[in-house]
Amino acid sequence: MNIILFDQQEVKAALLPFTFTRPVAAIRVGIFTIAEKWQHATKSSVAFHSDIISDRFPLKIAAENCLINGAFFPDQQLLAQIEGLKLGEGLMYEGKLLAFKADENTTRAYFDTAAMPAAVQFKSYGESPLHLSFAHDIFRLNGEAIRRDYAQITQHRESLPLTDPHTIVYGKENIFIEEGVNIKAAVLNAEDGPIYLGKNSSVAEGALIKGPFALCENAAVNMGAKVRGDTTVGPYSKIGGEVSNAVLFAYSNKGHDGFLGNSVIGEWCNLGADTNTSNLKNNYANVKIWSFADNKFADTGLQFCGLLMGDHAKCGIYTMFNTGTVVGVGANIFGDGFPRTFIPSFSWGGASGFTTFQLKKFFEVAEKVMARRGKALSSEERETLVSHFEDSGIYRTWEKQAI
């Protein structure tokens, strides 16, 4: 059966700024992206249906298809229910379209109209599957996602041994080390949750790490870092300083001192030295953040919420982010003081004011950053960024004032 992970538009809107540049299922929570979770669970490849056009997220429609809401994580009960569906049957969860099986014509009709397929008979799913509803769910659910992914990736496998005599370990049975990992004089405490060290990752001298923690392939923890639980460092990313309950997607750096907590950092981001995020208000009230779906600030219901930063965003040294700051794609933030708590995509500036980070300059920076990792923007990725630059102009209010 051909598996297609689809975006439901209201969920995609609630997961911005991260879904400006990727399908919902390409979001990393835990060790894996949601798509990778389904690949591991079903032992098959998956396709994507999204308005993000890229060769990274291909769509394949077959004669018979299993369509799954890309915001939902697989588990044994959900997988059994989906596998038990017949062609023309589907599942709903609390009013959300969860999954259905359909022929090619019904599949194409759903993608063309986004209307509930009349040819499919739906029943309610009675369990409580893990899934994303809001952008802050990415860090909120990360600890549980690490635990689930750890159980999946380590099943029927043995960890490589820890050979460094100067590294101190607590809860050794909850630590898994992949090939090529380099650890020097660190402290790994997995008593409260597992620690996963991915292929060719590194943990430098003096690092203190508590689980649940995931260090993905070729990622690094720098010297003296203090890492609290529920944290994921995505592939080819680096962290230093103090990090707590944060998710870095891939190719992003928070390499220096400074605090990052209850936060999500997209791909190709860089946080300058001594950047700090506030994750708790002085009055201990619930944190409100910018909601693209509602076009206003909305209550997260959370007491702790730090920084949500979209792809290709950067900030200079000593940047201070207030509680619940949302930064769009391609923004470049610098200067004294606290910048506003909603920074639109392609903003250039800080607390003293913003101008627009023009596309030509943005692409110059992005190309230099990616070339350092042997990567380049594809034509489809460039088109996505150009389109988003145009669409996001409505939030850059200073452009209107300049007319």
Side-chain angles (χ1 to χ4, degrees):
M1 183 72 72
N2 180 49
I3 298 173
I4 304 174
L5 302 174
F6 64 87
D7 286 354
Q8 205 165 26
Q9 288 306 308
E10 57 268 33
V11 177
K12 179 183 176 180
L15 293 172
L16 296 171
F18 305 107
T19 47
F20 279 134
T21 48
R22 62 176 52 76
V24 172
I27 288 174
R28 186 174 304 277
V29 195
I31 300 172
F32 303 126
T33 66
I34 299 174
E36 290 168 345
K37 298 178 197 298
W38 284 102
Q39 287 174 330
H40 280 274
T42 62
K43 296 179 173 57
S44 64
S45 61
V46 299
F48 297 84
H49 181 263
S50 173
D51 54 11
I52 303 296
I53 306 301
S54 173
D55 50 9
R56 293 173 60 193
F57 314 116
L59 171 62
K60 173 189 173 185
I61 300 177
E64 295 185 356
N65 305 282
C66 180
L67 291 86
I68 302 172
N69 189 324
F72 284 78
F73 303 4
D75 57 46
Q76 289 185 345
Q77 293 88 350
L78 179 56
L79 197 58
Q81 287 277 316
I82 291 176
E83 288 176 344
L85 293 174
K86 298 177 182 177
L87 207 63
E89 294 182 339
L91 297 174
M92 298 287 294
Y93 175 74
E94 295 185 348
K96 295 179 180 179
L97 181 57
L98 201 168
F100 64 97
K101 290 183 177 178
D103 60 23
E104 180 177 357
N105 290 336
T106 303
T107 299
R108 291 188 183 278
Y110 173 68
F111 290 157
D112 288 342
T113 65
M116 192 74 71
V120 178
Q121 293 184 332
F122 287 95
K123 57 183 178 181
S124 295
Y125 183 65
E127 303 297 327
S128 298
L130 215 61
H131 64 287
L132 299 179
S133 297
F134 303 100
H136 48 272
D137 285 341
I138 299 170
F139 71 76
R140 187 179 66 83
L141 300 178
N142 197 55
E144 177 60 23
I146 291 174
R147 288 184 169 90
R148 292 188 182 192
D149 290 347
Y150 182 90
Q152 176 76 40
I153 202 171
T154 63
Q155 189 175 25
H156 308 306
R157 301 177 63 213
E158 288 189 11
S159 169
L160 289 180
L162 176 65
T163 57
D164 177 50
H166 304 293
T167 292
I168 300 172
V169 171
Y170 301 91
K172 180 181 178 181
E173 67 280 5
N174 296 324
I175 298 174
F176 196 93
I177 301 171
E178 297 281 12
E179 177 185 359
V181 171
N182 185 14
I183 310 174
K184 292 286 193 298
V187 176
L188 307 179
N189 185 344
E191 292 179 330
D192 295 332
I195 293 175
Y196 173 79
L197 304 179
K199 184 178 178 181
N200 297 326
S201 63
S202 63
V203 179
E205 297 87 337
L208 309 175
I209 299 174
K210 279 184 65 72
F213 174 72
L215 188 65
C216 297
E217 181 177 356
N218 284 284
V221 178
N222 288 349
M223 290 188 296
K226 295 175 286 186
V227 187
R228 299 198 185 108
D230 301 344
T231 293
T232 292
V233 185
Y236 296 88
S237 294
K238 297 178 183 178
I239 60 168
E242 185 179 2
V243 181
S244 175
N245 187 198
V247 180
L248 286 75
F249 283 1
Y251 296 102
S252 287
N253 294 327
K254 184 239 174 281
H256 304 284
D257 284 345
F259 175 68
L260 178 70
N262 302 95
S263 297
V264 183
I265 307 298
E267 293 184 357
W268 302 109
C269 297
N270 188 73
L271 305 185
D274 286 302
T275 290
N276 283 283
T277 64
S278 169
N279 65 340
L280 175 67
K281 293 174 71 68
N282 287 355
N283 61 3
Y284 288 69
N286 284 356
V287 180
K288 293 183 178 181
I289 65 172
W290 179 259
S291 167
F292 290 93
D294 299 327
N295 202 36
K296 64 180 182 180
F297 287 91
D299 191 343
T300 63
L302 302 176
Q303 196 173 61
F304 291 90
C305 184
L307 171 66
L308 305 177
M309 176 178 276
D311 290 358
H312 293 283
K314 312 284 191 293
C315 69
I317 63 171
Y318 296 108
T319 301
M320 298 186 297
F321 288 108
N322 223 324
T323 321
T325 296
V326 175
V327 177
V329 173
N332 201 306
I333 305 126
F334 51 87
D336 296 335
F338 286 94
R340 57 196 289 185
T341 54
F342 169 48
I343 301 174
S345 295
F346 304 101
S347 298
W348 174 277
S352 60
F354 286 96
T355 58
T356 300
F357 195 7
Q358 297 297 332
L359 271 180
K360 181 181 178 182
K361 293 293 186 182
F362 164 77
F363 280 127
E364 287 177 1
V365 174
E367 288 164 359
K368 288 178 183 177
V369 170
M370 296 178 72
R372 295 173 69 238
R373 301 294 184 92
K375 299 290 183 180
L377 285 168
S378 69
S379 58
E380 292 89 351
E381 288 171 321
R382 290 181 73 93
E383 289 175 12
T384 295
L385 290 165
V386 169
S387 176
H388 178 50
F389 178 86
E390 295 169 352
D391 293 342
S392 60
I394 61 173
Y395 300 111
R396 296 190 292 272
T397 55
W398 56 87
E399 294 181 347
K400 300 180 181 66
Q401 294 167 0
I403 295 175

